Amino acid sequence: MNSRFLGITVMTDFILNEGVDGVLDNITRRAHATAVAINPTVTAPSDEGIGSYQPPSDAGSSPRLFDRPLWGKYGLWVKGAPSYVPDASYYSDTPYKPRKPGVLTETHGEIIEQFIDAALERGLKVYFQTGAATPSGLLEDDVPLLPSGARPVRMAETGSLASEAIRGYNRAYVRDLMNRYPQVTGFRPDWPEYPCYKLDEAFQDFGPHVATWAGAHGFDFERIRAGVGDFYDYLHGSLTNEDLSAFAGADRGRAASIGLLRRFPVVMEWLRLKTALSLDLLKHWRESLDMYGGPDKELSANAFMTPLTLWTGLDFGQISKYCDAVSPKLYTMHWSVMVEFWGRQLMSSNPGLSEEVVVRALAHLFDLGDHITATRISDFGYPEPHEPHPIPNDCQERKIAQVCAEAGDRMHVTPLMHGYGPHDDFIRRFQIVADSDAHGVWINRYGYLSDAKLDAVGHIWKS
């Protein structure tokens, strides 16, 4: 039997549908999971337009459907409420307030504690999965900004990593959950960095919170802002096919990258600022967890995968100061759609660019395979539920090895792969992690795991 770590994220919707024991039987007896991540929310079906649609829209136009029925459907509207009654006094020093409990809290809230206790009794570790800087109702003051001061076009509505209001909310939220569910193993904050799904997102954050934080930590914010603004402008009006041809060619832009850094030397200082901010946010998470949960509570960060972390700011080599584990995301459908997002923005901003050169340059920049044959943006994009993800094994294997090398023996590496996609392609992607040197794996989410997928996971993992 494989003794490595295997976690599965489970939304409460499916616990309410299949029952505590039904879900736990599936993830332990079928998949042989050793951990589970949940969210402290209870839900119920709702009328169209009320609440949120599940599965949620992803990348703006997600075609996803669940593999498992939820209230008899594979996609539907649901309304939700916290599974507990928050203590409002904990949030007195932040403008962000907890979600209000309601009828669903009263009627279904206890199922979360029942599930936690039952999972712990079976020997599973239990985590809360939450946003690292995504309070409900993000205030305009906390929206990250471009060097120009404009609001970026984004896929992920995350907040400024330097916002004291968001940090105050995070601390209150940890306190609230530790007070109500002290038995959980730990927390899994998502995006303790600046997401870069779209090109604008890669140029976050030049808002006033970062200006203040940078000055207090020895960074020349105005110099960085001006220099990065020049780089942004260059990508939005001055980019040529000749510029990109080196990235599309055999050396993948290694020499050209040096030339760009010489032309825009402040970019390295900007990336260092992002890394410092990401690390400081995780330090705050660790301090909050120590304060209200104790040092034995685990902190496991969900993050982008290399080389995208160069843009997001997360440093796998440094976060072990505060994290017990890291889960770089093997979200291959996102890597694919990023070529479309970045490619269309670059082409619209730089008329005359060759689509083939843009596609191949971006595929190399994101490291999407050893042999790039794509010539059109449509060769990438967001895969339909029946379509294999257009990302080969070689780069996935390489990325996992790179993170393991950066983390060393200082913390566990447990890649987070996604259950979305056809059965055979899901198994292909899962096998990559199973065959790697990673300490384990997380699978997101249970709703995309049919019984056949769960059985296949168990077969591979125990062998």
Side-chain angles (χ1 to χ4, degrees), residues 21 53 112 131 141 229 233 243 253 257 266 274 310 320 323 353 443:
D21 289 332
Y53 191 83
I112 290 294
D141 287 347
D233 291 342
D243 294 330
S257 297
V266 77
K274 279 189 172 185
L310 179 67
S320 59
C323 294
L353 286 183
I443 305 175

Side-chain angles (χ1 to χ4, degrees), residues 164-439:
E164 289 299 328
I166 290 177
R167 294 187 182 205
Y169 171 81
N170 287 345
R171 178 159 288 175
Y173 190 53
V174 168
R175 183 181 182 184
D176 227 354
L177 290 181
M178 285 291 89
N179 181 60
R180 182 61 184 85
Y181 305 105
Q183 67 273 48
V184 297
T185 307
F187 280 70
R188 290 177 51 74
D190 194 14
W191 292 321
E193 57 194 341
Y194 285 105
C196 62
Y197 299 107
K198 297 190 175 184
L199 182 56
D200 268 16
E201 289 176 295
F203 282 84
Q204 302 174 116
D205 170 20
F206 292 90
H209 300 306
V210 174
T212 300
W213 191 96
H217 291 81
F219 290 92
D220 188 339
F221 178 80
E222 282 304 319
R223 176 174 173 271
I224 294 173
R225 187 196 61 76
V228 175
D230 290 342
F231 184 43
Y232 182 91
D233 291 342
Y234 158 71
L235 295 178
H236 290 78
S238 301
L239 199 60
T240 67
N241 287 321
E242 184 178 1
D243 294 330
L244 290 179
S245 61
F247 290 90
D251 84 337
R252 303 187 176 202
R254 291 180 179 88
S257 297
I258 295 174
L260 276 177
L261 288 176
R262 285 173 174 162
R263 182 175 176 182
F264 302 102
V266 77
V267 166
M268 287 304 299
E269 186 69 357
W270 167 51
L271 298 179
R272 194 172 74 85
L273 170 59
K274 279 189 172 185
T275 297
L277 269 170
S278 173
L279 191 65
D280 194 55
L281 181 68
L282 283 170
K283 177 184 177 183
H284 188 270
W285 269 95
R286 181 70 263 174
E287 290 172 346
S288 299
L289 200 50
D290 286 350
M291 183 178 299
Y292 298 113
D296 61 319
K297 297 299 181 185
E298 295 183 17
L299 185 64
S300 175
N302 291 348
F304 272 71
M305 177 60 85
T306 182
L308 299 176
T309 44
L310 179 67
W311 297 95
T312 71
L314 190 130
D315 186 327
F316 295 113
Q318 293 193 63
I319 65 171
S320 59
K321 299 174 185 177
Y322 309 114
C323 294
D324 300 281
V326 67
S327 293
K329 295 177 184 176
L330 287 166
Y331 284 13
T332 44
M333 69 284 194
H334 286 170
W335 304 349
S336 179
V337 80
M338 282 178 63
V339 175
E340 178 181 352
F341 286 160
W342 285 46
R344 294 200 185 283
Q345 184 163 344
L346 288 175
M347 292 181 66
S348 67
S349 301
N350 301 278
L353 286 183
S354 161
E355 183 173 357
E356 179 176 351
V357 171
V358 169
V359 167
R360 292 194 175 186
L362 289 174
H364 281 158
L365 181 66
F366 300 156
D367 187 12
L368 300 187
D370 290 341
H371 305 287
I372 305 300
T373 59
T375 60
R376 300 169 302 173
I377 286 177
S378 59
D379 291 330
F380 287 99
Y382 204 105
E384 295 281 342
H386 64 279
E387 292 179 328
H389 298 189
I391 309 297
N393 292 10
D394 51 31
C395 63
Q396 296 185 63
E397 295 165 349
R398 178 165 52 248
K399 292 169 188 286
I400 294 172
Q402 288 170 346
V403 176
C404 288
E406 288 186 41
D409 59 0
R410 297 181 296 277
M411 67 178 172
H412 284 184
V413 176
T414 53
L416 175 62
M417 65 162 299
H418 211 286
Y420 172 70
H423 179 90
D424 290 347
D425 189 63
F426 166 79
I427 298 307
R428 171 184 72 93
R429 293 180 282 114
F430 180 76
Q431 188 76 58
I432 293 171
V433 191
D435 291 342
S436 76
D437 290 331
H439 299 88

